[in-house]
Amino acid sequence: MRLVIYSMLLLLIAIQYPLWLGKGGWLKVYEMERQLQLQEAKNSLLALRNAKLAGDVKDLKEGTRAIEERARVEHGMIKEGEYFVQILPTEKAPSSANSPDSLKPPTSKQ
């Protein structure tokens, strides 16, 4: 009787092994589903990027506005009759020049 019970237990374990750890087992399915979710997230980001690039290509093919914008930004071009004004940031004076004593005119002592 014990031999039958142990053999049945051994067969049960042998049947369960492929279910959990085999090629199409639950652990493998779980890992594949996780990889699928990661890949779908990457694909959605790439689809957004592709849509943006397709819009840029369409603008460059059909309109002159995108070409003009790129020429202005990348090459510094301006239209005829326009003026280019560039405002540079001012340099900070040394900290001693900002003191109240430096703002007073020098006094001459005799």
Side-chain angles (χ1 to χ4, degrees):
M1 187 68 172
R2 282 187 178 180
L3 184 60
V4 174
I5 292 174
Y6 288 135
S7 63
M8 291 294 215
L9 187 61
L10 184 64
L11 286 173
L12 181 65
I13 291 171
I15 291 172
Q16 291 292 315
Y17 176 78
L19 178 66
W20 291 98
L21 303 172
K23 186 176 180 181
W26 290 108
L27 296 175
K28 193 67 103 173
V29 169
Y30 175 74
E31 178 64 26
M32 296 298 272
E33 285 178 355
R34 190 179 64 79
Q35 288 179 2
L36 178 66
Q37 290 173 352
L38 290 173
Q39 190 62 45
E40 285 175 345
K42 286 180 187 178
N43 288 350
S44 66
L45 291 175
L46 291 174
L48 290 173
R49 189 193 72 175
N50 287 348
K52 182 182 176 207
L53 289 175
D56 287 346
V57 168
K58 182 181 176 187
D59 284 344
L60 289 171
K61 282 183 178 179
E62 296 176 359
T64 59
R65 200 169 162 165
I67 296 170
E68 181 181 333
E69 179 184 347
R70 284 197 179 219
R72 288 176 182 271
V73 172
E74 293 176 4
H75 302 290
M77 301 178 85
I78 58 172
K79 282 184 179 178
E80 191 174 319
E82 286 184 336
Y83 295 101
F84 177 75
V85 178
Q86 183 176 11
I87 300 173
L88 298 174
T90 59
E91 293 183 25
K92 289 188 174 184
S95 60
S96 62
N98 291 335
S99 66
D101 293 335
S102 67
L103 298 177
K104 295 180 186 175
T107 57
S108 63
K109 294 185 181 180
Q110 294 178 354

